[in-house]
Amino acid sequence: MEKETIKLYDGYYREFIEKTSYMIFISDESGYIFHVNDAWKLALGYPVDMCANHILWDFVHPYSRSLCQDNFKQANPGESFDLEVVFIA
């Protein structure tokens, strides 16, 4: 996946992604984070701009890392899934 700025859909979906209480991120298959929503800052205390351009594994507790990696490997491109993950805050 080419590293470029993610442009979110205008209107309802953009508002939903940015303002939901669920932590939403957009990454490539290796865990490189392109975008996180406001819930990341609230939940982890990291500024949003600090989360983007990092690797997801910098924030995931080792307890949850293998679970996440297994789900990532099994997912098809463009597919979404839900996980309960322990983060480092």
Side-chain angles (χ1 to χ4, degrees), residues 3 5-7 18-19 28 34 44 47 51 53 65 75 85:
K3 296 176 183 174
T5 302
I6 299 296
K7 293 181 181 179
E18 294 304 324
K19 301 303 178 191
D28 66 10
F34 294 106
L44 301 180
C51 295
N53 300 317
R65 190 168 294 156
V85 178

Side-chain angles (χ1 to χ4, degrees), residues 37-48:
N37 67 347
D38 293 342
W40 278 72
K41 180 178 181 181
L42 294 173
L44 301 180
Y46 298 118
V48 169

Side-chain angles (χ1 to χ4, degrees), residues 22-24 67-68 71-72 79-85:
Y22 293 99
M23 294 170 59
I24 296 176
L67 173 68
C68 287
N71 275 274
F72 273 37
E79 185 177 50
S80 65
F81 53 89
D82 295 324
L83 283 176
E84 290 188 28
V85 178

Side-chain angles (χ1 to χ4, degrees), residues 46-62:
Y46 298 118
V48 169
D49 59 347
M50 181 182 167
C51 295
N53 300 317
H54 279 77
I55 294 177
L56 175 64
W57 315 123
D58 294 339
F59 304 105
V60 175
H61 191 280

Side-chain angles (χ1 to χ4, degrees), residues 2 4 6 12-13 15-16 25 28 30 36-37 41 50 54 57-58 67 70 74 77-79:
E2 188 175 318
E4 61 184 45
I6 299 296
Y12 175 79
Y13 293 110
E15 184 73 17
F16 173 76
F25 71 96
D28 66 10
S30 65
V36 298
N37 67 347
K41 180 178 181 181
M50 181 182 167
H54 279 77
W57 315 123
D58 294 339
L67 173 68
D70 289 345
Q74 294 173 12
E79 185 177 50

